[in-house]
Amino acid sequence: MMGDPKEAGAEASPPRAAARGGLSLLPQAESEEPAQGSALFLGGNEVKSRAVVKYSSAPPRTAFARLEEKTDLKLPPANWLRESAKLGPAGTTILGNSKKSKPFSSFGMAYDFIDSVGNDVDVVSDSENIKKLLKIPYSKSHVSMAVHRIGRTLLLDELDIQELFMRSSQTGDWTWLKEFYQRLIDQKWQRKKKSKEHWYQKAILSKFLYYSINGDGAAQPVPSPAEQQESSSSHQTHDSEGASWPAPFEMPSSVSEDPSASSQGLKNDFVRNILWTFEDIHMLVGSNMPIFGGGRYPAVSLRLRDNNKPINVLTGIDYWLDNLICNVPELVMCFHVNGIVQKYEMIKTEEIPNLENSNFSTKVIKDIAQNILSFLKSNCTKEGHTYWLFKASGSDIVKLYDLTTLCEETEDKYQNPFTMPVAILLYKVACNMMMKKNQNKKHYGTIRTLLLNCVKLLDKSRHPQIIASANYMLSELFQLDEPKKEESSDSPLNENSDESYSEEEEEMPDSDENGAYSTSSDPADDNKAVAIIKSVGELSVPEKYKSIHQIRPSCAFPVCHDTEERCRLVLSYVLEGLKSVDSSIKKESDLPAADPSTPIPLKYEDESTRGSPEGLEKQMALFLDKMGSLQKGNCSGQSGMTPGSWQHKMKLQLILKSSKAYYILSDAAMSLQKYGRALRYIKLALQSHDTYCCLCTNMLSEVLLFLSQYLTLCGDIQLMLAQNANNRAAHLEEFNYQTKEDQEILHSLHRESSCQGFAWATDLSTDLESQLSVSCKCYEAANEILQFSDLKSQNPEHYVQVLKRMGNIRNEIGVFYMNQAAALQGERVVSKSVSAAEQQLWKKSFSCFEKGIHNFESIDDATNAALLLCNTGRLMRVCAQAHCGAEDEFKREFSPEEGLYYSKAVDYYLKALRSLGTRDMHPVVWDSVNWELSTTYFTMATLQQDYAPLSRKAQEQIEKEVSEAMMKSLKHCDVDSATARQPLCQYRAATIHHRLASMYHSCLRNQVGDEHLRKQHRVLADLHYSKAAKLFQLLKDAPCELLRVQLERVAFAEFQMTSQNSNVGKLKTLSGALDIMVRTEHAFQLIRKELVEECDQPKNDEATPAADSSPNLNREEVIKLLSIFESRLSFLLLQSIKLLSSSKRKMSSSSNTEEDTVLQTNKQIYSQLLRATANRNSTLLERIEVIICLLEQLASGSSGSSGGAVP
C-alpha cells in the first residue's frame, strides 16, 4: 500500500452538518472537495493529511462558552446529563468523547459506505482504535482488536476481553477463547476495575462540556438524588448495551433498508464519518469528538487539563490525531486545579507535537502507521476470518491470532460473534458490485469470491436466507443467454483484476531480510499466533515492515469451456439455494408465524411490485386448462410457503433460473444432435416452469416468453426425434439418464407441484404420428402464448420463428398423411373403389397443408408457402391416381374424377408460381414447382392419350386436349438451363414430341376426307418426329428411345410412299427413309458401347440371361427393335433395288453411272444383310456391329445420290 502520497491541504472549514438524529448525505461540493489550505509542517517533517467528511449528523457549529476563572467544575450545571444536540452522543454519558466503541462499529460504517469497502479504503475503524494503534510504541497499556479483511480493506474493532469473559462466565459463550487466553497469555486473568480517580476525571470533563454549551458560567443546583440515580442508571444501561456481545448473533436490523428499523443492532452511530488520507493510507474513520466555533478558526476542539499534571506524549498524540482526523486547525485548552478553572490557552494543531513534555516526531507516527498497516495486510490474508491483534499490558510483544482457525478446532465453529457481520458485509459488497450498471465483467471473479466466502462463513441451518440469496447471485454471474465470450483469450473475464483476491489463499512465506516478524518456534513466540512483532520499538523504524503479501489474481472468473459446463455451474448454485429455502420451510413450520429477526435486503425482485398485463393470469389459467396442465391449488405450493415470504420470492427466482439453465442445456444438446438428452433437459425446464406457474402470484410477460421459447424448442426436438427414428434406442437411453443434481432439483420442485403440467410435450413416443402431433401441439401452444400475452408485437423475431415452425410441422404431418394414403392405395386390390380410410387421410393431409400455407402467408414467407402449395398439388395427384386404380384395366378410361383432381393440382402449382413471382426470388423452388407442373400436364395428357375417354368425348376433342396439355407441359419444361435437372427436361421434351408425332401419325393413318387437315397432321408429325430425334440424340442414356423414334419416322415414310404413284416420288421417299436409317447409327453406337462395357465386366455365369442384365440397357427391347430395324432396312433396300432397276431400263444412259453406283451398293448391303440375318448363331453385339458396318457403307454409297435428305 506504499503508493505515491497525494498532496492535499488540511480543510479550513468543515461541511455543513445535517440535523441531529437523521442520516443525511452532504452536498457534493461540501463533502467531496477539500477546501483550500496548506500542508502541515510539524517538527520539521512534512506529514500529508487530508480529511473529507463523508457524512455528518452534527448540528450547526456554535461557539463555546468561555468559563470565568474560579468556576467550580465539581458542581454540576443544570443541564448536566440532559440530551444535547450540541454535544451529540457525548451529551448522554459521562464518558464524553472517549465513549466506548461498540464491538461492531466498523461494520456499521462499512454498511453505510459499501462502495468504499474492498476497493478504495485501506482501513475502516473508530478513531479511538486508530489512535490506540499509533500509540503502541509509546504506551504500556494493552491493545486488543479484532481485524477482518474484505478485499483490500481491513476492518478494525475493539475486542474488549474483559467484557467478553464476563459474558462468557454468564452464558458459556467464548469459553474456548477464555481458556486459550488464560493458558497462553495471562494465566492469572481477572477483571480489572476502574479507579475512583478515573471516574472523577470523566465526571469533571462531562461537567466542563455542559458548562461550555450552557453559556452563563454559573453553577446550578444539583438534581435530586432520585433524578441523579435515574440518570445514572439510564447511563449504565446505555453503556452496558453499547459494549454488549450478542451471543447467538441475530439478524441486525441495521442491515435492513428500512430506516425506521435501525434503532438497534449494527448501525453507524458516529456523529461524523471521515475519509482520512494520512500519507498514502486511506481510512474511513468514525468520530464523536465535539467541535466548536469561536476561535481564530471556524473550528476548534475543546480540552480540559489538570494544571498540576503536564501533558505527556500520549495525550499530545491523542489531541494531534483527533484534530487531524476531524480537520480541526486549533485546540482550546482549559486548565483547572482541583476542578477550579484557571485559564484558557489556544494551540494550533501543527504546534501540538512541539509542546513541552509532549514532544514527538510526526514522521515517526507516519512510520508507525505504515508499518502497522503493512504488518496487518501481510498477515490478515484470509477473507472472512477474524484475526485478533493483542498486546498485553506492559509487554513489548504484539501478537496476531486467527480466531476463526482456533474457533474451528472447538465443537461449535459458529461461536465467533463476528461471523455474521462479516458474512453480511461480504454479501453487501458483492450485492453493491452486482447492482452497478457500469460494472465491468472483469469484477465478476471478485464478486464470486465474496459470495463464496460469505457462504463458507455461515451455518446453513441458521442463515438459509443469506445462503439462498448468495447462491442465486452466484448463478446470476453466469450469463446463460450470451455468447461464450469467456472462451476467447482476450476476454475481460479472463483478465486478472488488481483487486482480485481468493478465498483459497494461503499465507505466503514471510521473507523479511531484517527478520521483521517471525512465525518460527522461538521460545518467546506463541506457536498459535499467525505473526508476532517482537518489540514495539521496531514499529518506529521506517519501512521496517513491508506489505509482501500480494493480493493474488487467482479469483479470475472461471472459464467454462462449453455451454454445458456453464449451465452445470449455475444449476449447482441453484440447487444449494433451493436446499436452503426448503430447509427453512421445514424448520419454520414448527415456529410461530412472527419471525424475531429482521431480514436483510436480498437483491431479488419482488414479483408483486411489478406490473403485468391485465387479465394475464386468467388467460394463462385458461391456456393451462386447455393444455390439460392446470392444477388445483393456490400459489403457496404444496410445501405451504406463504406468498410474499422471502422463501416464496427466492424459490421463484431460483426455479426460473433453473428452467433457463435447462433450456440452454437442451438447446446445446439439440445442436449436437443428442435429441434424447435435449428432450430430457427441456422436460426439466418445463417442469421448473410448471412449478413456477404454480407458485407465481403475478405472471410476467417475460416469463411467458420463456415458456413460449421452451415449447418451441420442445417442438423442434420432437420433430427431430421423429425424423431420426433409426437411432431411437440411443435417444431413449439418453432421455432416461439423470444426474444426482437433476434428481435433487426435481425433488425440490415436487415439494411445490406435481410437475406434470407439460408432460404431454415431453413424452418420448415410438409412434411417428404421435411425435409429429406433439411437435405441432408444442408450436401451437407457443403461438397461443404469444397471442394472448401480446408478446408477438414485442418479440417479432420469435413470433416469426414460431409461425415458420408451425408451417413446417404442418407440412411434415401433411406429407406423412399423404404418404400413408399412397401406401394404402398401393395395397388396394385393383378395381376396388377408394376406401373411407384413404379419403380421411386426404382430408387430414389437406387440412394440414392449408393451415401451413396460412402460417407462411401470415408472415409473408412466399417461398415456403409455394412449397406447401406444391405439396398440396402433389396430394391432388395422389387423389387422382387413387381414382385411376379404381377401374378395370381392360375397360379403363380417363375418368372425370381424375381430370378434376389433376386440374386442382395444376391450380395449386400455378398458385405456387404466383406466390414466388419470379424465378429470381428462389430459383431452386421455382424450378421444382415448374417441373411438378410440367409433370402434371404430361401425366394428364399421357393418361388421356393412353386411356382416351371415348365414351364421353369425341376423338378430335381428346386429341385437342392432349395436344394442349402436352404443349403446356413443354412450356414448363426448361431444356435450355444448365441445371442438374436438364437431362430430365430434355428427355421429357423429347418424349412429348415423340408422343405428339405418334398421335398425328395415328390421326393421319385413320383419317379420311379433309385433305387440308391431313396435310396439317403430316407436317406436325414430321416436325415433332424431327424435334424428338434431335433431343434424344443429345442424351447418352436413351438409345432405344432414339431408335424407336427413327423407326417410327421410317414407318411414317413408308405410309407416305403408299399414297405415291410415280416411281420418282417413291424413290425420293425411299431415299429419305434410308437416310433416316443411316442416322440411327448414333443409337447403335451407344448400344454397342454399353454391350462392350458389359462384356468387359467379369462374368459370374456363362449363361447370361437375355433379359436386362445391364442397369441402363434393356436387352429384350434392343433385340426387339433390332429385329424390326433389320426387317425394315431389308424392305427398304429391296424396294430401292426394284425401283432403281425399273428406272434404269426406262431412263437415258446419262444418269446410269450414278444410279448404277447406288444400285450396286444397295445390292451389296442387301446381300450382306440377308446373310447376317440368316445366321442364327450371331450374338447381339455381333449383329449390332454388322448393322453399324452396313450403315456406314450405306452412308458412303448414298452420299453422291440425289435423294432428298431428311433432317
Side-chain angles (χ1 to χ4, degrees):
M1 300 305 302
M2 311 298 287
D4 294 328
K6 296 179 181 177
E7 296 285 345
E11 305 220 5
S13 59
R16 186 182 73 244
R20 172 92 173 96
L23 305 184
S24 96
L25 295 175
L26 299 172
Q28 182 74 13
E30 294 178 311
S31 63
E32 297 296 341
E33 296 182 11
Q36 294 296 319
S38 59
L40 301 178
F41 291 90
L42 306 171
N45 298 316
E46 181 183 350
V47 175
K48 301 173 186 65
S49 172
R50 177 176 181 243
V52 177
V53 179
K54 301 290 285 184
Y55 153 80
S56 173
S57 62
R61 198 172 297 132
T62 57
F64 67 93
R66 186 183 287 265
L67 304 184
E68 295 179 2
E69 286 186 30
K70 310 301 180 185
T71 299
D72 189 354
L73 296 178
K74 294 190 291 296
L75 298 175
N79 63 346
W80 191 43
L81 300 182
R82 301 286 195 274
E83 185 174 345
S84 168
K86 295 179 183 178
L87 290 180
T92 54
T93 172
I94 60 168
L95 297 180
N97 69 324
S98 297
K99 178 188 173 186
K100 192 169 195 143
S101 298
K102 288 192 176 181
F104 302 102
S105 60
S106 68
F107 289 90
M109 277 191 286
Y111 294 156
D112 283 351
F113 297 97
I114 207 76
D115 277 343
S116 301
V117 177
N119 297 318
D120 308 327
V121 173
D122 297 304
V123 177
V124 178
S125 186
D126 182 352
S127 60
E128 297 301 314
N129 296 333
I130 301 289
K131 292 189 293 180
K132 191 175 288 187
L133 282 178
L134 297 184
K135 290 188 294 184
I136 282 179
Y138 302 92
S139 171
K140 292 294 182 184
S141 61
H142 85 286
V143 174
S144 176
M145 287 189 196
V147 185
H148 296 89
R149 183 184 192 124
I150 307 290
R152 57 172 277 183
T153 303
L154 297 176
L155 276 69
L156 305 179
D157 292 280
E158 183 180 1
L159 190 62
D160 190 334
I161 294 293
Q162 294 184 0
E163 176 68 28
L164 201 63
F165 294 163
M166 282 292 291
R167 181 177 180 84
S168 173
S169 60
Q170 297 169 10
T171 64
D173 296 325
W174 290 85
T175 52
W176 60 274
L177 184 59
K178 184 176 180 180
E179 291 169 4
F180 169 76
Y181 181 84
Q182 290 175 334
R183 185 171 71 252
L184 291 179
I185 297 167
D186 190 351
Q187 295 182 356
K188 298 178 181 179
W189 176 84
Q190 59 179 358
R191 185 172 176 81
K192 298 177 178 64
K193 295 182 180 179
K194 302 276 186 182
S195 63
K196 287 184 180 179
E197 176 65 21
H198 171 81
W199 293 114
Y200 168 75
Q201 292 297 336
K202 291 294 181 185
I204 287 286
L205 173 60
S206 177
K207 292 170 187 175
F208 167 67
L209 289 173
Y210 274 96
Y211 273 122
S212 297
I213 62 170
N214 198 28
D216 56 8
Q220 299 293 330
V222 179
S224 66
E227 290 176 350
Q228 193 168 6
Q229 184 179 358
E230 181 185 340
S231 64
S232 175
S233 65
S234 69
H235 149 64
Q236 289 169 1
T237 304
H238 183 89
D239 185 33
S240 64
E241 285 178 358
S244 66
W245 291 86
F249 185 79
E250 296 179 353
M251 193 77 73
S253 59
S254 67
V255 187
S256 168
E257 290 183 348
D258 182 8
S260 64
S262 61
S263 58
Q264 58 181 358
L266 298 188
K267 62 175 183 176
N268 180 4
D269 53 2
F270 293 103
V271 171
R272 61 185 65 80
N273 299 125
I274 300 153
L275 191 61
W276 181 40
T277 304
F278 184 59
E279 285 296 312
D280 58 349
I281 304 170
H282 305 284
M283 292 176 268
L284 181 62
V285 182
S287 173
N288 289 322
M289 184 179 78
I291 300 176
F292 299 88
R296 289 170 295 180
Y297 293 93
V300 296
S301 58
L302 199 57
R303 303 287 182 173
L304 182 65
R305 292 296 306 166
D306 190 333
N307 209 17
N308 295 328
K309 297 178 182 178
I311 298 175
N312 60 26
V313 172
L314 294 176
T315 307
I317 293 174
D318 220 42
Y319 291 172
W320 181 67
L321 287 173
D322 264 335
N323 276 20
L324 278 189
I325 291 168
C326 293
N327 209 28
V328 175
E330 194 167 31
L331 166 70
V332 175
M333 196 92 78
C334 175
F335 293 92
H336 73 96
V337 177
N338 296 326
I340 306 300
V341 175
Q342 299 296 314
K343 63 175 180 175
Y344 280 85
E345 186 177 330
M346 306 192 81
I347 305 164
K348 289 182 180 179
T349 299
E350 59 264 34
E351 294 171 355
I352 295 174
N354 300 318
L355 292 177
E356 190 179 351
N357 299 321
S358 174
N359 190 280
F360 61 90
S361 166
T362 57
K363 184 74 168 60
V364 170
I365 302 295
K366 179 203 76 171
D367 291 335
I368 293 168
Q370 289 174 336
N371 279 326
I372 288 176
L373 181 65
S374 295
F375 173 77
L376 291 175
K377 284 212 167 186
S378 295
N379 295 287
C380 301
T381 57
K382 294 180 180 177
E383 191 177 44
H385 280 224
T386 299
Y387 292 90
W388 179 29
L389 186 72
F390 178 78
K391 182 178 89 70
S393 182
S395 171
D396 278 349
I397 300 172
V398 182
K399 299 180 182 180
L400 184 72
Y401 298 93
D402 184 346
L403 291 188
T404 303
T405 305
L406 294 173
C407 183
E408 286 173 351
E409 295 171 1
T410 66
E411 291 181 3
D412 186 359
K413 69 174 184 176
Y414 298 107
Q415 273 200 8
N416 182 355
F418 283 102
T419 298
M420 188 64 180
V422 172
I424 293 174
L425 186 57
L426 289 168
Y427 176 83
K428 275 182 160 284
V429 172
C431 248
N432 182 62
M433 293 178 82
M434 280 283 280
M435 291 301 129
K436 286 182 180 176
K437 289 183 179 178
N438 59 347
Q439 180 66 58
N440 193 306
K441 285 186 181 178
K442 71 179 181 181
H443 296 303
Y444 274 14
T446 304
I447 297 170
R448 177 174 172 269
T449 307
L450 287 164
L451 292 170
L452 288 174
N453 283 330
C454 168
V455 171
K456 192 187 291 184
L457 285 175
L458 297 174
D459 182 359
K460 291 181 180 179
S461 60
R462 297 183 190 181
H463 310 292
Q465 186 179 10
I466 304 177
I467 288 175
S469 184
N471 276 295
Y472 174 67
M473 285 177 64
L474 280 165
S475 74
E476 280 289 288
L477 289 173
F478 296 85
Q479 300 299 314
L480 293 175
D481 50 353
E482 289 187 2
K484 295 177 283 186
K485 294 177 184 175
E486 66 269 21
E487 291 184 11
S488 60
S489 58
D490 57 347
S491 164
L493 291 182
N494 286 341
E495 291 175 7
N496 295 327
S497 168
D498 292 339
E499 300 164 5
S500 300
Y501 46 89
S502 173
E503 76 279 6
E504 298 171 355
E505 286 182 305
E506 298 175 2
E507 295 165 38
M508 294 179 67
D510 302 327
S511 56
D512 195 323
E513 293 175 1
N514 302 322
Y517 48 83
S518 170
T519 56
S520 64
S521 56
D522 189 282
D525 292 344
D526 177 3
N527 61 2
K528 293 283 185 181
V530 173
I532 296 173
I533 298 174
K534 294 180 180 178
S535 170
V536 292
E538 294 177 350
L539 293 172
S540 304
V541 179
E543 297 187 9
K544 176 69 175 177
Y545 294 92
K546 294 181 181 178
S547 182
I548 60 169
H549 172 73
Q550 300 297 318
I551 302 174
R552 300 180 194 174
S554 57
C555 71
F557 200 67
V559 176
C560 298
H561 297 289
D562 56 26
T563 304
E564 184 160 2
E565 188 180 343
R566 186 164 68 246
C567 290
R568 278 289 161 202
L569 266 173
V570 169
L571 288 169
S572 68
Y573 294 130
V574 167
L575 177 58
E576 288 304 313
L578 288 172
K579 283 180 178 176
S580 295
V581 174
D582 292 341
S583 66
S584 73
I585 298 168
K586 199 182 297 179
K587 275 191 169 183
E588 292 182 9
S589 61
D590 305 325
L591 298 175
D595 190 354
S597 58
T598 309
I600 68 172
L602 302 172
K603 301 297 181 182
Y604 45 72
E605 196 163 9
D606 186 352
E607 301 289 344
S608 61
T609 61
R610 293 178 56 173
S612 62
E614 187 179 353
L616 199 55
E617 291 80 12
K618 186 178 178 182
Q619 289 279 0
M620 188 62 185
L622 289 171
F623 167 74
L624 291 173
D625 188 38
K626 181 180 177 183
M627 293 290 117
S629 57
L630 186 63
Q631 298 179 29
K632 303 297 179 187
N634 55 35
C635 56
S636 63
Q638 296 171 3
S639 67
M641 280 191 302
T642 308
S645 65
W646 75 264
Q647 290 101 331
H648 185 258
K649 295 174 186 175
M650 178 49 67
K651 194 156 190 178
L652 274 174
Q653 293 299 318
L654 289 167
I655 288 171
L656 192 60
K657 191 73 180 178
S658 71
S659 74
K660 289 181 190 174
Y662 282 127
Y663 167 71
I664 301 296
L665 279 171
S666 180
D667 192 46
M670 179 78 172
S671 63
L672 294 172
Q673 298 181 352
K674 302 288 184 182
Y675 305 123
R677 188 194 306 174
L679 187 63
R680 167 163 55 89
Y681 284 137
I682 203 66
K683 181 176 183 178
L684 287 163
L686 286 167
Q687 285 175 323
S688 299
H689 202 284
D690 186 38
T691 308
Y692 184 92
C693 292
C694 284
L695 292 175
C696 190
T697 54
N698 229 6
M699 191 60 65
L700 298 173
S701 57
E702 178 192 11
V703 176
L704 289 178
L705 177 62
F706 291 150
L707 179 56
S708 178
Q709 290 170 340
Y710 300 168
L711 288 168
T712 304
L713 180 59
C714 188
D716 292 348
I717 295 164
Q718 291 284 12
L719 175 58
M720 295 315 296
L721 283 167
Q723 292 177 349
N724 291 271
N726 295 337
N727 208 14
R728 183 167 280 131
H731 295 320
L732 186 62
E733 186 180 347
E734 285 181 342
F735 177 69
N736 291 326
Y737 172 78
Q738 206 164 45
T739 64
K740 187 171 183 286
E741 193 176 67
D742 293 340
Q743 290 171 350
E744 289 180 338
I745 289 174
L746 196 56
H747 175 71
S748 179
L749 298 179
H750 279 141
R751 287 170 59 91
E752 315 300 336
S753 157
S754 65
C755 301
Q756 294 302 307
F758 298 96
W760 56 266
T762 53
D763 283 338
L764 183 54
S765 172
T766 56
D767 178 45
L768 180 60
E769 182 180 356
S770 172
Q771 285 177 317
L772 292 172
S773 175
V774 167
S775 178
C776 186
K777 191 176 177 185
C778 285
Y779 295 138
E780 287 170 352
N783 181 50
E784 193 169 338
I785 290 168
L786 294 176
Q787 297 287 351
F788 73 67
S789 59
D790 198 33
L791 282 165
K792 64 177 184 179
S793 55
Q794 300 166 27
N795 302 274
E797 288 182 10
H798 178 58
Y799 177 64
V800 167
Q801 286 302 315
V802 170
L803 282 182
K804 273 192 176 182
R805 283 168 164 77
M806 281 175 67
N808 180 56
I809 192 63
R810 283 169 169 162
N811 178 52
E812 291 285 339
I813 297 172
V815 170
F816 171 76
Y817 287 136
M818 180 168 65
N819 291 339
Q820 275 201 324
L824 274 181
Q825 178 188 321
E827 295 167 6
R828 195 176 68 215
V829 180
V830 179
S831 79
K832 191 178 178 183
S833 60
V834 178
S835 65
E838 280 182 79
Q839 292 181 338
Q840 194 62 32
L841 288 169
W842 295 344
K843 287 177 183 176
K844 285 182 179 179
S845 180
F846 181 74
S847 173
C848 289
F849 287 140
E850 202 171 35
K851 289 175 181 175
I853 292 164
H854 174 72
N855 292 144
F856 286 125
E857 286 177 345
S858 65
I859 55 173
D860 299 324
D861 189 344
T863 305
N864 280 318
L867 283 170
L868 263 72
L869 285 163
C870 190
N871 277 343
T872 313
R874 186 175 151 218
L875 174 66
M876 296 299 109
R877 285 161 60 193
V878 169
C879 296
Q881 288 163 11
H883 285 90
C884 153
E887 296 180 21
D888 189 350
E889 187 68 24
F890 298 104
K891 300 175 183 177
R892 173 91 167 87
E893 278 193 1
F894 185 71
S895 65
E897 290 82 3
E898 285 179 86
L900 175 66
Y901 281 118
Y902 278 121
S903 297
K904 285 184 177 180
V906 166
D907 288 342
Y908 282 113
Y909 289 130
L910 289 172
K911 278 184 185 176
L913 289 176
R914 284 197 295 272
S915 174
L916 289 169
T918 61
R919 185 176 185 273
D920 296 338
M921 185 173 179
H922 203 299
V924 176
V925 177
W926 176 274
D927 291 344
S928 179
V929 175
N930 241 340
W931 173 254
E932 294 296 329
L933 180 56
S934 172
T935 303
T936 307
Y937 278 128
F938 178 71
T939 308
M940 281 176 70
T942 303
L943 289 171
Q944 278 186 293
Q945 192 175 12
D946 294 347
Y947 305 101
L950 294 170
S951 62
R952 293 182 291 111
K953 295 180 182 178
Q955 180 73 33
E956 292 78 8
Q957 187 183 351
I958 294 169
E959 288 169 1
K960 183 183 177 185
E961 287 177 5
V962 168
S963 176
E964 287 176 357
M966 287 292 190
M967 294 311 292
K968 285 178 180 176
S969 177
L970 205 56
K971 176 187 172 186
H972 293 285
C973 194
D974 184 7
V975 294
D976 300 321
S977 298
T979 61
R981 199 180 269 122
Q982 189 182 26
L984 279 177
C985 291
Q986 288 173 340
Y987 186 87
R988 167 73 53 77
T991 307
I992 289 170
H993 285 301
H994 181 197
R995 278 188 162 269
L996 285 172
S998 298
M999 184 181 76
Y1000 290 128
H1001 185 177
S1002 177
C1003 291
L1004 196 60
R1005 280 177 180 275
N1006 301 326
Q1007 207 167 37
V1008 183
D1010 191 348
E1011 189 59 35
H1012 173 71
L1013 195 58
R1014 284 175 62 80
K1015 185 179 180 180
Q1016 188 179 355
H1017 284 166
R1018 187 184 299 112
V1019 170
L1020 286 171
D1022 195 44
L1023 173 68
H1024 287 297
Y1025 274 133
S1026 175
K1027 287 185 176 180
K1030 280 183 179 178
L1031 286 166
F1032 277 130
Q1033 279 181 338
L1034 293 173
L1035 299 168
K1036 294 179 181 179
D1037 55 353
C1040 292
E1041 287 82 351
L1042 175 58
L1043 193 54
R1044 187 179 291 108
V1045 169
Q1046 298 292 44
L1047 286 172
E1048 284 190 25
R1049 290 180 75 185
V1050 170
F1052 182 61
E1054 289 177 7
F1055 172 72
Q1056 285 181 291
M1057 196 171 64
T1058 57
S1059 61
Q1060 292 174 330
N1061 298 319
S1062 68
N1063 286 347
V1064 176
K1066 285 183 180 182
L1067 197 59
K1068 187 175 181 181
T1069 304
L1070 272 174
S1071 179
L1074 284 169
D1075 193 51
I1076 292 170
M1077 286 296 204
V1078 170
R1079 291 175 184 274
T1080 59
E1081 185 188 349
H1082 175 69
F1084 283 114
Q1085 291 282 10
L1086 290 174
I1087 293 170
R1088 177 182 176 278
K1089 184 182 177 184
E1090 289 196 31
L1091 287 171
V1092 169
E1093 287 175 359
E1094 186 183 313
C1095 291
D1096 289 342
Q1097 292 176 0
K1099 295 182 179 179
N1100 296 326
D1101 193 354
E1102 291 295 327
T1104 306
D1108 186 10
S1109 59
S1110 170
N1112 298 321
L1113 193 65
N1114 187 336
R1115 293 176 72 92
E1116 286 185 358
E1117 180 78 4
V1118 172
I1119 292 168
K1120 183 181 176 182
L1121 289 172
L1122 181 58
S1123 298
I1124 296 171
F1125 184 86
E1126 286 171 343
S1127 68
R1128 296 334 296 159
L1129 180 58
S1130 176
F1131 173 77
L1132 290 176
L1133 288 170
L1134 181 59
Q1135 293 300 316
S1136 172
I1137 292 167
K1138 285 180 181 180
L1139 285 174
L1140 285 170
S1141 299
S1142 168
S1143 61
K1144 181 182 177 184
R1145 292 191 293 269
K1146 295 178 183 178
M1147 295 181 71
S1148 62
S1149 58
S1150 61
S1151 60
N1152 283 349
T1153 307
E1154 185 180 331
E1155 286 186 0
D1156 283 350
T1157 305
V1158 174
L1159 180 60
Q1160 290 303 318
T1161 302
N1162 288 356
K1163 280 182 179 181
Q1164 288 175 11
I1165 293 170
Y1166 181 67
S1167 174
Q1168 291 176 40
L1169 181 61
L1170 286 176
R1171 282 197 297 273
T1173 52
N1175 184 6
R1176 299 292 179 182
N1177 297 323
S1178 301
T1179 63
L1180 179 60
L1181 181 57
E1182 288 171 347
R1183 289 172 65 188
I1184 287 172
E1185 286 177 341
V1186 168
I1187 293 296
I1188 292 171
C1189 180
L1190 294 176
L1191 290 177
E1192 285 175 353
Q1193 291 178 37
L1194 190 61
S1196 59
S1198 62
S1199 58
S1201 68
S1202 59
V1206 179

